[in-house]
């Protein structure tokens, strides 16, 4: 089975990359890369996500791992007026060109972004990898409309990129299923503003039995913030997905009592933390370098306030 090496651009906590509209490229790229990984693993492909600030180390790791495809995920930046998607490949690689065409087509088709086309380049990561390699610039992080897409359509970007990968592989080797499988989620409302698809496992697409107290507190959190939408990075995890991401066997995510919440666009991490702490969540995990906060109701939502920082 094909091995896909996924490189989120720049490095969380070290090199934020392009910044704009309250977003950091390294954070956005990492979140979307993990979603891409989940979709590709769901169709049986072998994946590895590696974010690092050394280009030589990134290429060496991909080559030593024996990657069949190399995918680097980035966000663009210019003056605030430029927008759209473009995908870069090494001019000497016909396979890289085909790979770029597949990913570019899916993103533009799925997200409706401005089609800036595929372009040749002399980027280090596309020139020094053994596998066909591309670098995709999803959208312009300093353009307000594009930035909104990066926040609100994070999963759509990931599905589009994953479809681009499988489109390319369909022309070179058969794959067991389509990458759309994980999005076939039982629809239904958990509350006024939260639905089952927001909490669905990234591996199997199931929602599990989410604890009513967790949903109640998330509604209160949303209301306290003046109705600012809350994006769920991770809700329910089936045991397989939990193991894949390194979770402990008795993770609150497996039990349906936890959610990882992305820091809302335009809001500081500290402000979001303050809002979270006003409510009786039992577990609060702070991840400032990845711009999300874990909350859970392990004790039924009595406000135990067990803290940790990752």
């Amino acid at each position: 089975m094909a091995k896909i090496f996924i490189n989120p651009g720049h490095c969380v906590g070290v090199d934020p990359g392009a910044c704009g509209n309250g977003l950091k490229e390294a954070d956005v790229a990492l979140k979307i890369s993990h979603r891409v990984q989940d979709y590709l693993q769901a169709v049986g492909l072998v994946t590895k996500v590696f974010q690092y600030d050394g280009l030589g180390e990134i290429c060496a790791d991909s080559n030593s791992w024996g990657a069949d495809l190399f995918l680097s995920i980035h966000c663009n930046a210019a003056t605030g007026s430029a927008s759209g998607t473009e995908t870069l490949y090494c001019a000497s690689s016909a396979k890289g060109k085909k790979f770029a065409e597949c990913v570019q087509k899916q993103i533009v088709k799925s997200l409706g972004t401005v089609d800036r086309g595929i372009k040749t380049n002399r980027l280090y990561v596309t020139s020094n990898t053994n596998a066909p390699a591309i670098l995709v610039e999803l959208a312009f992080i300093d353009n307000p409309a594009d930035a909104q897409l990066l926040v609100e359509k994070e999963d759509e970007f990931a599905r589009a990129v994953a479809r681009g990968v499988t489109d390319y592989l369909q022309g070179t080797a058969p794959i067991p299923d389509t990458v759309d499988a994980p999005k076939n989620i039982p629809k239904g409302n958990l509350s006024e503003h939260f639905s089952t698809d927001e909490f669905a496992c990234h591996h199997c697409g199931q929602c599990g039995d989410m604890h009513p107290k967790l949903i109640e507190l998330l509604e209160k959190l949303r209301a306290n913030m003046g109705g600012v939408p809350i994006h769920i990075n991770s809700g329910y995890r089936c045991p397989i997905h939990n193991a894949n991401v390194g979770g402990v066997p008795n993770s609150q995510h497996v039990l349906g009592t936890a959610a990882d919440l992305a820091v809302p666009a335009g809001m500081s991490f500290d402000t979001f933390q303050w809002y979270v702490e006003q409510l009786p969540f039992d577990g609060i995990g702070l991840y400032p370098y990845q711009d999300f906060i874990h909350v859970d109701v392990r004790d039924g939502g009595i406000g135990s306030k067990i803290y940790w920082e990752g």
Side-chain angles (χ1 to χ4, degrees):
M1 189 55 64
K3 300 172 70 175
I4 318 300
F5 189 93
I6 306 170
N7 165 233
H10 304 279
C11 190
V12 171
V14 179
D15 173 15
C19 299
N21 296 291
L23 302 176
K24 299 176 183 178
E25 180 181 5
D27 297 331
V28 174
L30 183 62
K31 291 175 184 178
I32 292 178
S33 292
H34 279 302
R35 286 182 179 267
V36 172
Q37 179 182 43
D38 289 338
Y39 281 113
L40 295 180
Q41 287 181 340
V43 297
L45 299 175
V46 180
T47 63
K48 182 174 184 177
V49 173
F50 182 55
Q51 187 180 57
Y52 196 69
D53 63 335
L55 301 181
E57 289 86 348
I58 292 169
C59 295
D61 195 57
S62 176
N63 293 338
S64 64
W65 187 61
D68 296 299
L69 289 177
F70 178 94
L71 167 66
S72 192
I73 296 177
H74 287 251
C75 301
N76 222 332
T79 62
S81 59
S83 64
T85 304
E86 61 188 45
T87 306
L88 312 176
Y89 67 98
C90 184
S92 62
S93 174
K95 292 182 178 179
K97 179 180 180 181
K98 180 62 177 178
F99 186 18
E101 289 173 344
C102 290
V103 172
Q104 177 75 13
K105 179 180 178 181
Q106 281 291 353
I107 294 175
V108 172
K109 175 184 175 182
S110 301
L111 278 298
T113 53
V114 174
D115 187 357
R116 297 173 62 88
I118 63 170
K119 302 177 181 180
T120 58
N121 66 88
R122 295 183 180 179
L123 295 175
Y124 190 93
V125 293
T126 59
S127 302
N128 290 275
T129 47
N130 297 333
I134 64 171
L135 186 150
V136 56
E137 300 276 12
L138 299 171
F140 281 76
I141 202 167
D142 58 348
N143 179 291
D146 272 18
Q148 185 175 5
L149 284 178
L150 289 169
V151 172
E152 297 181 356
K153 302 294 183 180
E154 179 182 298
D155 193 60
E156 285 83 346
F157 272 110
R159 285 205 303 268
V161 172
R163 286 195 204 100
V165 172
T166 58
D167 285 351
Y168 174 83
L169 291 175
Q170 288 283 18
T172 59
I175 58 175
D177 200 351
T178 72
V179 77
D180 287 317
K183 73 172 184 177
N184 295 325
I185 300 162
K187 299 295 181 181
N189 292 329
L190 295 173
S191 65
E192 182 179 0
H193 297 106
F194 294 99
S195 60
T196 55
D197 59 349
E198 295 178 85
F199 293 85
C201 175
H202 296 169
H203 174 262
C204 68
Q206 298 304 306
C207 179
D209 295 322
M210 302 307 300
H211 197 293
K213 187 64 176 181
L214 175 67
I215 307 304
E216 175 190 329
L217 292 179
L218 292 178
E219 281 286 1
K220 289 182 178 179
L221 176 61
R222 190 182 193 279
N224 290 351
M225 295 191 302
V228 173
I230 295 174
H231 177 77
I232 311 298
N233 282 352
S234 178
Y236 173 72
R237 295 177 189 164
C238 72
I240 294 175
H241 179 55
N242 186 61
N244 287 341
V245 300
V248 296
N250 62 340
S251 167
Q252 298 299 313
H253 288 278
V254 175
L255 301 175
T257 56
D260 293 344
L261 314 178
V263 177
M267 182 180 293
S268 71
F269 187 92
D270 289 344
T271 299
F272 188 45
Q273 178 182 342
W274 183 87
Y275 278 115
V276 168
E277 290 175 339
Q278 306 314 301
L279 294 169
F281 291 107
D282 298 318
I284 299 177
L286 306 175
Y287 296 84
Y289 294 119
Q290 295 169 277
D291 274 346
F292 78 87
I293 294 179
H294 166 104
V295 295
D296 67 58
V297 291
R298 64 185 66 195
D299 297 324
I302 61 174
S304 303
K305 292 293 191 296
I306 300 168
Y307 282 90
W308 66 93
E309 185 167 341

Short mmCIF file of all heavy atoms in Angstrom, two decimals, residues 71-110:
data_model
loop_
_atom_site.label_atom_id
_atom_site.label_comp_id
_atom_site.label_asym_id
_atom_site.label_seq_id
_atom_site.Cartn_x
_atom_site.Cartn_y
_atom_site.Cartn_z
N LEU A 71 3.80 15.29 0.46
CA LEU A 71 2.80 16.35 0.43
C LEU A 71 3.11 17.37 1.50
O LEU A 71 3.08 17.07 2.70
CB LEU A 71 1.41 15.74 0.66
CG LEU A 71 0.25 16.68 0.96
CD1 LEU A 71 -0.06 17.57 -0.25
CD2 LEU A 71 -0.98 15.88 1.36
N SER A 72 3.41 18.60 1.11
CA SER A 72 3.66 19.67 2.06
C SER A 72 2.49 20.64 2.02
O SER A 72 2.10 21.11 0.95
CB SER A 72 4.97 20.40 1.72
OG SER A 72 5.36 21.25 2.78
N ILE A 73 1.91 20.94 3.17
CA ILE A 73 0.70 21.74 3.27
C ILE A 73 1.02 23.09 3.90
O ILE A 73 1.57 23.16 5.00
CB ILE A 73 -0.37 21.00 4.08
CG1 ILE A 73 -0.78 19.71 3.34
CG2 ILE A 73 -1.59 21.89 4.33
CD1 ILE A 73 -1.79 18.86 4.08
N HIS A 74 0.65 24.17 3.19
CA HIS A 74 0.98 25.53 3.62
C HIS A 74 -0.21 26.46 3.44
O HIS A 74 -1.23 26.10 2.83
CB HIS A 74 2.15 26.07 2.80
CG HIS A 74 3.47 25.47 3.13
ND1 HIS A 74 4.47 26.15 3.78
CD2 HIS A 74 3.95 24.22 2.90
CE1 HIS A 74 5.51 25.36 3.94
NE2 HIS A 74 5.23 24.18 3.41
N CYS A 75 -0.06 27.68 3.96
CA CYS A 75 -0.97 28.79 3.70
C CYS A 75 -0.16 29.91 3.08
O CYS A 75 0.99 30.15 3.47
CB CYS A 75 -1.63 29.29 4.98
SG CYS A 75 -2.57 28.04 5.87
N ASN A 76 -0.74 30.61 2.14
CA ASN A 76 -0.05 31.68 1.43
C ASN A 76 -0.23 33.01 2.15
O ASN A 76 -1.08 33.15 3.03
CB ASN A 76 -0.58 31.77 0.00
CG ASN A 76 0.52 31.97 -1.01
OD1 ASN A 76 1.56 32.55 -0.68
ND2 ASN A 76 0.30 31.51 -2.22
N ALA A 77 0.53 34.00 1.73
CA ALA A 77 0.38 35.37 2.24
C ALA A 77 0.95 36.34 1.22
O ALA A 77 1.90 36.01 0.51
CB ALA A 77 1.08 35.53 3.59
N ALA A 78 0.34 37.50 1.15
CA ALA A 78 0.83 38.52 0.21
C ALA A 78 0.57 39.89 0.81
O ALA A 78 1.24 40.33 1.73
CB ALA A 78 0.15 38.37 -1.15
N THR A 79 -0.45 40.56 0.32
CA THR A 79 -0.74 41.92 0.79
C THR A 79 -2.09 42.04 1.45
O THR A 79 -2.46 43.11 1.92
CB THR A 79 -0.71 42.89 -0.41
OG1 THR A 79 -1.75 42.52 -1.33
CG2 THR A 79 0.63 42.86 -1.10
N GLY A 80 -2.84 40.96 1.49
CA GLY A 80 -4.18 41.01 2.03
C GLY A 80 -5.24 41.02 0.96
O GLY A 80 -6.41 40.74 1.21
N SER A 81 -4.85 41.33 -0.28
CA SER A 81 -5.82 41.36 -1.37
C SER A 81 -5.76 40.11 -2.24
O SER A 81 -6.74 39.74 -2.87
CB SER A 81 -5.61 42.61 -2.24
OG SER A 81 -4.29 42.61 -2.78
N ALA A 82 -4.58 39.46 -2.28
CA ALA A 82 -4.45 38.23 -3.06
C ALA A 82 -5.26 37.13 -2.40
O ALA A 82 -5.44 37.09 -1.18
CB ALA A 82 -2.99 37.84 -3.16
N SER A 83 -5.76 36.19 -3.21
CA SER A 83 -6.55 35.09 -2.68
C SER A 83 -6.41 33.86 -3.57
O SER A 83 -5.93 33.95 -4.70
CB SER A 83 -8.04 35.48 -2.59
OG SER A 83 -8.57 35.72 -3.87
N GLY A 84 -6.82 32.73 -3.03
CA GLY A 84 -6.89 31.53 -3.85
C GLY A 84 -5.88 30.46 -3.49
O GLY A 84 -5.14 30.55 -2.52
N THR A 85 -5.91 29.41 -4.31
CA THR A 85 -5.12 28.20 -4.11
C THR A 85 -4.14 27.99 -5.24
O THR A 85 -4.47 28.21 -6.41
CB THR A 85 -6.05 26.97 -4.04
OG1 THR A 85 -7.03 27.17 -3.00
CG2 THR A 85 -5.28 25.70 -3.78
N GLU A 86 -2.93 27.59 -4.89
CA GLU A 86 -1.95 27.20 -5.91
C GLU A 86 -1.13 26.03 -5.39
O GLU A 86 -0.96 25.87 -4.17
CB GLU A 86 -1.04 28.37 -6.29
CG GLU A 86 -0.22 28.94 -5.15
CD GLU A 86 0.50 30.21 -5.55
OE1 GLU A 86 -0.12 31.07 -6.20
OE2 GLU A 86 1.71 30.34 -5.21
N THR A 87 -0.66 25.22 -6.30
CA THR A 87 0.10 24.03 -5.94
C THR A 87 1.39 24.00 -6.72
O THR A 87 1.39 24.19 -7.95
CB THR A 87 -0.71 22.75 -6.19
OG1 THR A 87 -1.98 22.85 -5.52
CG2 THR A 87 0.02 21.53 -5.66
N LEU A 88 2.48 23.78 -6.03
CA LEU A 88 3.82 23.86 -6.61
C LEU A 88 4.43 22.47 -6.73
O LEU A 88 4.23 21.61 -5.88
CB LEU A 88 4.70 24.74 -5.74
CG LEU A 88 4.10 26.10 -5.33
CD1 LEU A 88 5.03 26.83 -4.38
CD2 LEU A 88 3.79 26.94 -6.55
N TYR A 89 5.22 22.28 -7.80
CA TYR A 89 5.89 21.01 -8.01
C TYR A 89 7.23 21.26 -8.69
O TYR A 89 7.47 22.35 -9.24
CB TYR A 89 5.04 20.06 -8.87
CG TYR A 89 4.85 20.53 -10.29
CD1 TYR A 89 5.64 20.02 -11.32
CD2 TYR A 89 3.89 21.49 -10.62
CE1 TYR A 89 5.49 20.45 -12.63
CE2 TYR A 89 3.72 21.92 -11.93
CZ TYR A 89 4.52 21.40 -12.93
OH TYR A 89 4.38 21.83 -14.23
N CYS A 90 8.09 20.29 -8.66
CA CYS A 90 9.40 20.40 -9.27
C CYS A 90 9.26 20.27 -10.79
O CYS A 90 8.62 19.34 -11.29
CB CYS A 90 10.34 19.33 -8.73
SG CYS A 90 12.02 19.45 -9.34
N ALA A 91 9.86 21.20 -11.53
CA ALA A 91 9.70 21.25 -12.99
C ALA A 91 10.14 19.97 -13.68
O ALA A 91 9.61 19.62 -14.75
CB ALA A 91 10.48 22.44 -13.54
N SER A 92 11.08 19.25 -13.08
CA SER A 92 11.61 18.04 -13.73
C SER A 92 10.79 16.79 -13.44
O SER A 92 11.12 15.71 -13.93
CB SER A 92 13.05 17.81 -13.29
OG SER A 92 13.12 17.60 -11.89
N SER A 93 9.71 16.93 -12.68
CA SER A 93 8.94 15.76 -12.26
C SER A 93 7.57 15.72 -12.94
O SER A 93 6.66 16.47 -12.58
CB SER A 93 8.76 15.77 -10.74
OG SER A 93 7.91 14.72 -10.32
N ALA A 94 7.40 14.81 -13.90
CA ALA A 94 6.11 14.64 -14.56
C ALA A 94 5.08 14.09 -13.57
O ALA A 94 3.90 14.48 -13.61
CB ALA A 94 6.25 13.70 -15.75
N LYS A 95 5.52 13.21 -12.69
CA LYS A 95 4.61 12.66 -11.69
C LYS A 95 4.20 13.74 -10.69
O LYS A 95 3.05 13.79 -10.25
CB LYS A 95 5.25 11.48 -10.97
CG LYS A 95 5.44 10.25 -11.85
CD LYS A 95 6.05 9.10 -11.07
CE LYS A 95 6.19 7.86 -11.95
NZ LYS A 95 6.81 6.74 -11.19
N GLY A 96 5.15 14.59 -10.35
CA GLY A 96 4.83 15.69 -9.45
C GLY A 96 3.79 16.62 -10.06
O GLY A 96 2.90 17.11 -9.38
N LYS A 97 3.91 16.85 -11.36
CA LYS A 97 2.94 17.70 -12.05
C LYS A 97 1.54 17.09 -11.99
O LYS A 97 0.56 17.78 -11.71
CB LYS A 97 3.36 17.91 -13.50
CG LYS A 97 2.38 18.78 -14.30
CD LYS A 97 2.84 18.95 -15.74
CE LYS A 97 1.86 19.83 -16.53
NZ LYS A 97 2.27 19.99 -17.93
N LYS A 98 1.45 15.79 -12.25
CA LYS A 98 0.16 15.11 -12.21
C LYS A 98 -0.43 15.14 -10.80
O LYS A 98 -1.63 15.39 -10.61
CB LYS A 98 0.33 13.66 -12.66
CG LYS A 98 -0.98 12.85 -12.64
CD LYS A 98 -2.00 13.44 -13.60
CE LYS A 98 -3.26 12.58 -13.63
NZ LYS A 98 -4.30 13.16 -14.51
N PHE A 99 0.42 14.92 -9.82
CA PHE A 99 -0.01 14.97 -8.41
C PHE A 99 -0.55 16.36 -8.08
O PHE A 99 -1.63 16.51 -7.47
CB PHE A 99 1.18 14.60 -7.53
CG PHE A 99 0.88 14.47 -6.06
CD1 PHE A 99 -0.41 14.31 -5.57
CD2 PHE A 99 1.94 14.48 -5.14
CE1 PHE A 99 -0.65 14.19 -4.21
CE2 PHE A 99 1.70 14.36 -3.79
CZ PHE A 99 0.41 14.22 -3.32
N ALA A 100 0.17 17.39 -8.52
CA ALA A 100 -0.26 18.77 -8.27
C ALA A 100 -1.61 19.06 -8.92
O ALA A 100 -2.47 19.72 -8.34
CB ALA A 100 0.80 19.75 -8.78
N GLU A 101 -1.79 18.59 -10.13
CA GLU A 101 -3.05 18.80 -10.85
C GLU A 101 -4.23 18.19 -10.09
O GLU A 101 -5.30 18.80 -9.97
CB GLU A 101 -2.97 18.19 -12.24
CG GLU A 101 -2.06 18.95 -13.20
CD GLU A 101 -1.87 18.22 -14.52
OE1 GLU A 101 -2.19 17.00 -14.58
OE2 GLU A 101 -1.40 18.85 -15.48
N CYS A 102 -4.03 16.98 -9.55
CA CYS A 102 -5.10 16.28 -8.84
C CYS A 102 -5.52 17.03 -7.58
O CYS A 102 -6.71 17.22 -7.30
CB CYS A 102 -4.66 14.86 -8.48
SG CYS A 102 -4.49 13.75 -9.90
N VAL A 103 -4.54 17.48 -6.79
CA VAL A 103 -4.85 18.17 -5.55
C VAL A 103 -5.44 19.55 -5.82
O VAL A 103 -6.43 19.95 -5.19
CB VAL A 103 -3.59 18.27 -4.67
CG1 VAL A 103 -3.83 19.17 -3.46
CG2 VAL A 103 -3.16 16.88 -4.20
N GLN A 104 -4.84 20.28 -6.75
CA GLN A 104 -5.34 21.62 -7.07
C GLN A 104 -6.79 21.57 -7.55
O GLN A 104 -7.64 22.36 -7.11
CB GLN A 104 -4.46 22.24 -8.18
CG GLN A 104 -4.90 23.61 -8.66
CD GLN A 104 -4.58 24.73 -7.69
OE1 GLN A 104 -3.83 24.54 -6.75
NE2 GLN A 104 -5.15 25.90 -7.92
N LYS A 105 -7.09 20.63 -8.41
CA LYS A 105 -8.45 20.50 -8.96
C LYS A 105 -9.47 20.23 -7.86
O LYS A 105 -10.55 20.84 -7.84
CB LYS A 105 -8.49 19.37 -9.99
CG LYS A 105 -9.86 19.13 -10.60
CD LYS A 105 -9.81 17.99 -11.61
CE LYS A 105 -11.19 17.72 -12.20
NZ LYS A 105 -11.15 16.59 -13.18
N GLN A 106 -9.14 19.36 -6.93
CA GLN A 106 -10.09 19.01 -5.88
C GLN A 106 -10.35 20.17 -4.92
O GLN A 106 -11.49 20.40 -4.52
CB GLN A 106 -9.59 17.79 -5.10
CG GLN A 106 -9.82 16.46 -5.80
CD GLN A 106 -11.28 16.09 -5.86
OE1 GLN A 106 -12.15 16.75 -5.28
NE2 GLN A 106 -11.58 15.02 -6.58
N ILE A 107 -9.30 20.92 -4.57
CA ILE A 107 -9.50 22.04 -3.66
C ILE A 107 -10.37 23.12 -4.30
O ILE A 107 -11.33 23.61 -3.69
CB ILE A 107 -8.15 22.64 -3.22
CG1 ILE A 107 -7.36 21.62 -2.39
CG2 ILE A 107 -8.37 23.91 -2.40
CD1 ILE A 107 -5.98 22.09 -2.01
N VAL A 108 -10.04 23.49 -5.51
CA VAL A 108 -10.80 24.54 -6.20
C VAL A 108 -12.25 24.12 -6.41
O VAL A 108 -13.19 24.89 -6.20
CB VAL A 108 -10.13 24.89 -7.54
CG1 VAL A 108 -11.01 25.84 -8.36
CG2 VAL A 108 -8.77 25.52 -7.31
N LYS A 109 -12.43 22.85 -6.78
CA LYS A 109 -13.78 22.33 -7.01
C LYS A 109 -14.59 22.28 -5.72
O LYS A 109 -15.78 22.66 -5.70
CB LYS A 109 -13.68 20.92 -7.60
CG LYS A 109 -15.01 20.21 -7.78
CD LYS A 109 -14.80 18.80 -8.28
CE LYS A 109 -16.11 18.01 -8.34
NZ LYS A 109 -15.88 16.61 -8.78
N SER A 110 -13.97 21.86 -4.63
CA SER A 110 -14.69 21.66 -3.37
C SER A 110 -14.90 22.94 -2.59
O SER A 110 -15.94 23.13 -1.95
CB SER A 110 -13.94 20.65 -2.49
OG SER A 110 -13.81 19.41 -3.14
#
